Amino acid sequence: MSRWLLLLALATLPGCGQRQSALHPAADHAATLMSLFQLMLWVCGIAYLLVILFLGWSLVRRRAVAETGETGVRAMLGIWIGLILFGLVILAVGSFLADRTLGAASQKALRVRVTGHQWWWRIEYEAGRGRWIETANELHLPMGLPVTLELRAADVIHSFWVPNLAGKMDMIPGRINSMTVTPGKTGWFRGQCAEFCGTQHANMALVAKVERPGEFTRWLAHQAEPVAGEAAGRAIVEKGSCAVCHQIRGTGAQGRVGPDLTHLASRRTIAAGAAPLTRGSLRGWIIQPQAIKPGTSMPPSDLSPQDADAVARYLEALR
Ligand code: HEC
Ligand SMILES: [Cu+2]
């Protein structure tokens, strides 16, 4: 018996993770949805209990029910209809209020563009005077300050979903969907694309890091800086095909097809969470990205093993 209980406990444990959970809100947006969820749970839970109690009562007290006659049944029906309407009104008012709270925009919010690509995220921070600071796959946010996320898509429909911070919102080509989020807790939170977008949809993860405003400002200022890096690796990247698709600000690589690699090594993973950022995985990715993410639009390279090594070493130093 206790062995079965232990197994059951183990089976339910994975569901208790808090890094990607709508049940552990870390921002106002997710907290509003959580309150709405709780309201619905209570209203529906009570309605369910009442129905079951009434059913039980009428089974046990069959005779009493039969003796109430037609007027009695009518009265009971009236009470039930009243209760149902009351419950529905509570749910309607609750969702209306939650929707209004979620829709409220903030004028002084920082603007961040997040664009869904097959199968990664382009992220750009407003830096004033029409300038944007670009990075990818790792979203940094300041705690306690409102951020307006402008969600776009480059190819097909994606859906932005970091459950600890906010509910899902579709990213649709040719449209901008916005939401304003104010994070309330620091930490790492995991997100993922929530709308099937092709073969590597499951490998389209996003990490959000909420940090103190000072730390965030330092991070953003650092991301804005160009880099050069060590010359041998840089020359291979600039001369090779990489520069056609990737941008490394401060070098000759100015491509805009794939993720910005300027501060690649400040991130924890590559290719939207498909592999950890290590020398080995970088090398593997450069030589044969299809082995890590079959279907990805990055082609395999024709670099010699030595050159691939040099490029991996170069990229690993772009902090
Ligand atoms: C045809 C365009 C193209 C070429 C050429 C190309 N890449 Fe990519 N690269 C991409 C795309 C698109 C992605 C995103 C793939 C994904 O995550 O699904 C990517 C992802 C990456 C990543 C992971 C970035 C991140 O933010 O996690 C690295 C590193 C990288 N490429 C390095 C290189 C290097 C080095 C070369 C040259 C040897 C190269 N790429 C050539 C398109 C290209
Ligand atoms: Cu997707």
Side-chain angles (χ1 to χ4, degrees):
M1 178 67 190
S2 61
R3 209 186 313 160
W4 286 112
L5 277 179
L6 187 69
L7 260 181
L8 190 70
L10 279 178
T12 51
L13 263 182
C16 301
Q18 303 189 357
R19 284 214 316 131
Q20 182 173 339
S21 161
L23 302 179
H24 298 91
D28 57 345
H29 200 288
T32 303
L33 286 177
M34 179 70 179
S35 316
L36 183 61
F37 168 70
Q38 277 168 337
L39 179 75
M40 291 187 161
L41 193 67
W42 276 108
V43 171
C44 298
I46 290 172
Y48 178 74
L49 252 177
L50 284 178
V51 170
I52 295 296
L53 282 176
F54 184 72
L55 188 68
W57 176 78
S58 41
L59 281 177
V60 175
R61 307 291 304 272
R62 255 170 306 203
R63 178 145 322 145
V65 178
E67 276 166 6
T68 54
E70 197 184 319
T71 39
V73 170
R74 267 175 198 281
M76 278 188 248
L77 260 180
I79 294 175
W80 276 116
I81 292 173
L83 278 175
I84 290 168
L85 284 179
F86 181 65
L88 287 178
V89 166
I90 294 186
L91 291 183
V93 170
S95 30
F96 173 75
L97 291 179
D99 214 40
R100 264 207 353 187
T101 313
L102 295 184
S106 166
Q107 293 302 321
K108 53 183 195 328
L110 171 74
R111 282 163 70 205
V112 180
R113 281 189 200 143
V114 185
T115 309
H117 289 254
Q118 281 174 317
W119 292 277
W120 57 282
W121 313 81
R122 188 190 298 276
I123 304 174
E124 294 156 291
Y125 294 81
E126 184 185 28
R129 297 206 207 95
R131 242 184 94 227
W132 294 80
I133 300 168
E134 185 172 339
T135 165
N137 296 331
E138 203 174 284
L139 177 68
H140 286 235
L141 298 172
M143 186 181 85
L145 298 177
V147 173
T148 296
L149 298 167
E150 299 179 0
L151 307 176
R152 304 152 180 247
D155 33 42
V156 300
I157 299 178
H158 301 271
S159 177
F160 177 88
W161 191 43
V162 185
N164 296 74
L165 300 181
K168 290 174 190 171
M169 194 177 267
D170 275 3
M171 311 171 101
I172 300 168
R175 264 189 71 110
I176 301 176
N177 285 339
S178 301
M179 65 164 129
T180 299
V181 177
T182 307
K185 275 187 198 157
T186 57
W188 288 95
F189 304 103
R190 191 178 184 281
Q192 64 190 59
C193 178
E195 179 77 45
F196 181 73
C197 57
T199 47
Q200 286 299 321
H201 163 65
N203 273 327
M204 185 167 163
L206 174 73
V207 280
K209 188 188 186 205
V210 178
E211 51 206 359
R212 297 188 186 288
E215 203 181 323
F216 171 77
T217 313
R218 274 197 300 282
W219 173 84
L220 191 58
H222 179 67
Q223 296 290 317
E225 301 269 311
V227 292
E230 158 271 331
R234 187 177 77 224
I236 302 170
V237 169
E238 285 175 332
K239 275 204 312 274
S241 61
C242 324
V244 177
C245 294
H246 292 288
Q247 169 166 264
I248 304 178
R249 282 170 275 129
T251 76
Q254 296 292 333
R256 303 272 302 150
V257 178
D260 183 297
L261 303 180
T262 310
H263 292 280
L264 174 75
S266 71
R267 311 202 266 271
R268 291 179 152 193
T269 62
I270 59 168
L277 193 147
T278 61
R279 168 101 49 97
S281 64
L282 275 173
R283 196 170 171 280
W285 175 262
I286 294 165
I287 293 172
Q288 184 47 287
Q290 309 291 325
I292 294 178
K293 216 166 165 176
T296 177
S297 44
M298 173 156 155
S301 81
D302 45 12
L303 295 178
S304 69
Q306 290 83 347
D307 282 0
D309 234 10
V311 171
R313 235 178 303 121
Y314 168 71
L315 293 176
E316 200 192 12
L318 297 181
R319 299 200 170 278

